[in-house]
Amino acid sequence: MTTMAVHVKIAQERESWFDEILRGALGVRADTKLASQLRLLATPLQLRRGEIAPLTLESNHLVAIASGATKLVGYASRDREQIVAFHFGGEILSIPADREHVYRLCALTDAQVFVFPEQVLFDCIEHDPSVLRRLLERMQTALFRCRDKALGLGRKSAQERLASFMLAMAERIGSRTAAPCVLDLPMSRRDIGDSLGLTIETVSRRFGELRALGVIETQGRSRVILRDREALGRLAGHV
Amino acid sequence: MTTMAVHVKIAQERESWFDEILRGALGVRADTKLASQLRLLATPLQLRRGEIAPLTLESNHLVAIASGATKLVGYASRDREQIVAFHFGGEILSIPADREHVYRLCALTDAQVFVFPEQVLFDCIEHDPSVLRRLLERMQTALFRCRDKALGLGRKSAQERLASFMLAMAERIGSRTAAPCVLDLPMSRRDIGDSLGLTIETVSRRFGELRALGVIETQGRSRVILRDREALGRLAGHV
DNA sequence: CGCTTAATTGAGAGCCTTCAATCATCGTGG
DNA sequence: CCACGATGATTGAAGGCTCTCAATTAAGCG
């Protein structure tokens, strides 16, 4: 295949991803006027594993994840990171401009994303209530998840946090088919720690404990099999 | 004044509060059709200090705070509370139906609030994009605050959390006029602890430390004077 | 002014962190 | 295909920050 052909193929793939995102995340059909407006508005970004999305920090952004997995990281200081959310393909998230703390979007795997300037996007969909509503509901989901996270960070033990984390991930990216749920975590132990407000060592120790209890099983670095979701729920403090 | 007259007065007050909320929080004019729809939809609640809003946990609710201060509490278990947000007069918030954890709205001071069933409200404003957008922006503000909270809970020391808390409260309810910012906190030390993921004792000790540093000054239980906001910002880890 | 509740202060324990070393995993190159 | 190296993960020991339990003091209300 020629270089040209490769480029064309990538561009086409990008197009189809874009259309899918529009439909899935915002409920916008590809053949509408709004769709073409949004196409012009979007900055496509191809992120490599570990790469930080190069966003200007001057205004808010909305980012649609076409494919891949990402983490939204806040910095308490240079070397203290807190992951405030994970986002996967098909989701859309809001990234704040500079406040007291800086937030960055970082790719866990290679990822294709589309970046929108928030205000302009809002203006665009101003007269399309169904899209606005969809976005509102997404935002609400993110808020509810974030509250749960705050609850865990503030009041739960390391073990409870890890158990909660597993169950939450199982809901979002676990294999629906397999009876004992199989999880392929795209994030490292460090990421898990940064998400749960723990160190890698503590995460590892609690992992070992869950393994010893027979509640989970691990294969390699990233695969986790949930052997007993009931028990995991109890350990998570889900009353 | 007769009992009847008192009731009439209260009802009138409630009306005017409602109109103000409609304008302030949602941008809805009182003389519109939408306003009267919403009036029918709203359940007014007069909450006493410490009272928990009696909400059915079967569906999501939107609550508009007309006056007073409230806390939104999540429960990790019976005796482990985490305040995920404070909300004051003029604000609107979203309360989830039952998930893994239960959330309740509790009044810090006497408060007048209006409760809306979420889905029905969304349906009502479905064709009013400006209202939808306003709500979207409110939701986003709540999300950003919640992320900051998660960041603090996960990665900051008790001292840093308390300093952050003071500054955040100063922004929201501090006296704009006075040069050294005067804060009248409507929440107890326990509430502050429950918000910061700390115990009352730790909150009290860190308060003492800030006092010893000359950064703040306290008068009685609820008044705090910020003597040095710069220093407070540094202690809060605001880079 | 007295009582009730909230806040402060102190001592000891526990959970997680830090620092350090070993082991496993996985991608790479021979 | 396997050995190797680099990175990530696990395990261990010691320390620190916050929690728990307990007693004292202060604040606010009747």
Side-chain angles (χ1 to χ4, degrees):
Chain A
M1 210 189 278
T2 64
T3 313
M4 185 60 168
V6 169
H7 277 228
V8 168
K9 179 150 181 271
I10 289 176
Q12 284 173 347
E13 237 172 56
R14 209 175 259 167
E15 281 290 296
S16 79
W17 268 330
F18 188 85
D19 292 346
E20 205 176 306
I21 276 293
L22 279 190
R23 243 189 322 106
L26 295 174
V28 175
R29 292 214 349 254
D31 57 359
T32 57
K33 181 151 169 266
L34 179 56
S36 42
Q37 279 187 317
L38 293 180
R39 229 184 298 267
L40 287 174
L41 204 58
T43 305
L45 280 181
Q46 190 107 36
L47 298 176
R48 304 274 264 283
R49 179 178 214 279
E51 195 180 343
I52 290 175
L55 303 176
T56 67
L57 293 172
E58 279 137 37
S59 61
N60 295 349
H61 293 284
L62 287 181
V63 179
I65 315 289
S67 70
T70 62
K71 58 178 175 180
L72 180 60
V73 186
Y75 296 82
S77 61
R78 180 56 70 94
D79 58 346
R80 287 187 301 177
E81 303 190 357
Q82 174 65 44
I83 296 177
V84 294
F86 291 110
H87 284 285
F88 306 102
E91 300 182 354
I92 194 163
L93 71 146
S94 183
I95 301 180
D98 259 337
R99 344 176 72 220
E100 299 93 48
H101 303 106
V102 179
Y103 290 90
R104 290 189 212 282
L105 186 72
C106 179
L108 294 170
T109 65
D110 290 357
Q112 174 67 51
V113 310
F114 296 95
V115 181
F116 300 88
E118 180 196 277
Q119 284 309 315
V120 188
L121 182 98
F122 282 1
D123 290 341
C124 261
I125 60 177
E126 177 86 280
H127 298 296
D128 200 323
S130 74
V131 179
L132 223 38
R133 180 167 174 175
R134 182 87 68 127
L135 205 52
L136 182 62
E137 285 168 343
R138 296 259 163 183
M139 199 83 78
Q140 198 183 44
T141 302
L143 175 59
F144 288 174
R145 281 214 191 99
C146 193
R147 284 179 182 162
D148 276 343
K149 176 178 280 284
L151 175 56
L153 290 172
R155 290 296 178 217
K156 287 189 176 180
S157 70
Q159 191 63 285
E160 291 174 307
R161 290 183 212 178
L162 190 56
S164 288
F165 172 79
M166 299 290 213
L167 290 171
M169 281 304 137
E171 288 290 324
R172 292 177 73 181
I173 57 171
S175 68
R176 279 259 178 264
T177 55
C181 178
V182 177
L183 266 180
D184 281 302
L185 298 177
M187 65 288 281
S188 67
R189 297 286 190 271
R190 168 166 299 285
D191 289 326
I192 297 175
D194 286 346
S195 172
L196 302 180
L198 302 169
T199 58
I200 8 178
E201 294 94 330
T202 301
V203 172
S204 189
R205 274 184 258 269
R206 294 294 95 86
F207 250 106
E209 211 161 289
L210 290 179
R211 230 167 0 222
L213 287 169
V215 174
I216 65 166
E217 195 175 310
T218 57
Q219 288 175 1
R221 280 172 180 155
S222 59
R223 175 159 292 181
V224 180
I225 300 165
L226 309 189
R227 283 281 168 217
D228 189 348
R229 276 171 91 140
E230 300 280 315
L232 213 47
R234 277 192 300 278
L235 287 167
H238 293 176
V239 199
Chain B
M1 209 189 281
T2 64
T3 312
M4 186 60 166
V6 168
H7 278 227
V8 167
K9 177 146 182 275
I10 288 177
Q12 284 174 346
E13 236 172 56
R14 209 176 259 169
E15 282 289 296
S16 80
W17 267 331
F18 188 85
D19 292 347
E20 206 176 307
I21 275 292
L22 241 47
R23 245 189 320 104
L26 295 174
V28 175
R29 291 209 356 248
D31 57 359
T32 57
K33 182 154 167 264
L34 180 57
S36 41
Q37 280 186 318
L38 293 180
R39 229 184 295 268
L40 287 174
L41 204 58
T43 307
L45 280 180
Q46 190 105 36
L47 298 176
R48 305 272 263 283
R49 179 177 214 280
E51 193 179 346
I52 291 176
L55 302 176
T56 67
L57 293 173
E58 279 138 38
S59 59
N60 294 349
H61 293 284
L62 287 181
V63 179
I65 316 290
S67 72
T70 63
K71 57 179 174 180
L72 180 60
V73 187
Y75 296 82
S77 60
R78 181 56 71 94
D79 57 346
R80 287 187 301 178
E81 304 190 358
Q82 173 67 43
I83 296 176
V84 294
F86 291 110
H87 283 285
F88 307 103
E91 301 182 354
I92 193 164
L93 71 146
S94 181
I95 301 180
D98 258 338
R99 345 175 72 220
E100 298 92 49
H101 303 106
V102 179
Y103 290 90
R104 291 189 211 284
L105 186 72
C106 179
L108 292 171
T109 65
D110 290 356
Q112 173 68 50
V113 309
F114 296 93
V115 181
F116 301 89
E118 180 196 278
Q119 284 309 316
V120 189
L121 181 96
F122 281 1
D123 290 341
C124 260
I125 61 176
E126 178 84 280
H127 298 297
D128 200 324
S130 73
V131 179
L132 265 173
R133 179 167 176 173
R134 180 87 68 128
L135 206 51
L136 182 62
E137 285 168 343
R138 297 259 162 181
M139 198 82 77
Q140 198 183 44
T141 302
L143 174 60
F144 289 173
R145 282 214 191 100
C146 193
R147 285 179 182 162
D148 277 343
K149 175 177 282 283
L151 175 56
L153 291 172
R155 291 294 177 219
K156 287 189 176 179
S157 70
Q159 191 64 284
E160 290 173 310
R161 291 183 211 177
L162 190 57
S164 287
F165 172 79
M166 299 292 210
L167 289 171
M169 282 304 138
E171 287 292 323
R172 292 178 73 181
I173 56 172
S175 69
R176 280 257 177 265
T177 54
C181 177
V182 176
L183 266 180
D184 281 301
L185 298 176
M187 65 288 283
S188 67
R189 296 286 189 270
R190 167 164 301 283
D191 290 326
I192 297 174
D194 285 346
S195 172
L196 301 180
L198 302 168
T199 57
I200 9 178
E201 293 94 330
T202 300
V203 171
S204 188
R205 273 184 260 268
R206 295 292 93 86
F207 249 106
E209 212 160 289
L210 289 178
R211 231 169 357 224
L213 285 168
V215 174
I216 65 166
E217 194 175 310
T218 57
Q219 287 176 2
R221 280 174 182 156
S222 59
R223 175 159 293 182
V224 180
I225 301 166
L226 309 190
R227 283 282 167 215
D228 189 348
R229 275 171 93 142
E230 300 280 315
L232 214 47
R234 277 193 300 279
L235 288 168
H238 294 176
V239 197

